[in-house]
Amino acid sequence: DYENSRPAIVLDDAQNVELMDEPEAVIEDLDEGLTYGVKGELPAGAAFDEANHTFTFTPEAAGEYEIVFTVDDGVILVEKQVTIVVAE
């Protein structure tokens, strides 16, 4: 019998950065056949490259930003919320 394991996203829950820093996070591909993405709209200056599982962000304004990353194996969808606090 095949048992499906829950996919995981390994990222810190919170990040603190300075205005105009360029933080980058790469979600490692722990298993073939997984689809990575983000849920909802990204803030200005942020991008997620689904092919490379790379999140980049050049914040244009100070504040607190919540990003929800997703990973899906076709059976189970997992979400992980990360808060990025941008100081001036």
Side-chain angles (χ1 to χ4, degrees):
D1 288 320
Y2 171 76
E3 185 176 319
N4 188 32
S5 297
R6 184 178 181 90
I9 300 172
V10 182
L11 288 174
D12 291 336
D13 291 338
Q15 301 284 326
N16 293 306
V17 298
E18 299 292 320
L19 192 59
M20 299 310 289
D21 275 358
E22 295 182 13
E24 178 179 287
V26 177
I27 301 173
E28 293 184 31
D29 195 354
L30 302 174
D31 192 7
E32 292 182 25
L34 299 178
T35 303
Y36 297 87
V38 291
K39 182 177 179 181
E41 280 198 45
L42 292 172
F48 185 76
D49 182 334
E50 291 182 18
N52 296 318
H53 321 136
T54 305
F55 171 76
T56 55
F57 184 31
T58 305
E60 298 174 1
E64 189 171 292
Y65 301 90
E66 293 181 353
I67 312 294
V68 178
F69 294 94
T70 63
V71 60
D72 188 353
D73 66 359
V75 177
I76 300 171
L77 173 69
V78 175
E79 297 180 353
K80 169 120 181 169
Q81 180 172 308
V82 175
T83 301
I84 301 173
V85 178
V86 178
E88 289 189 35

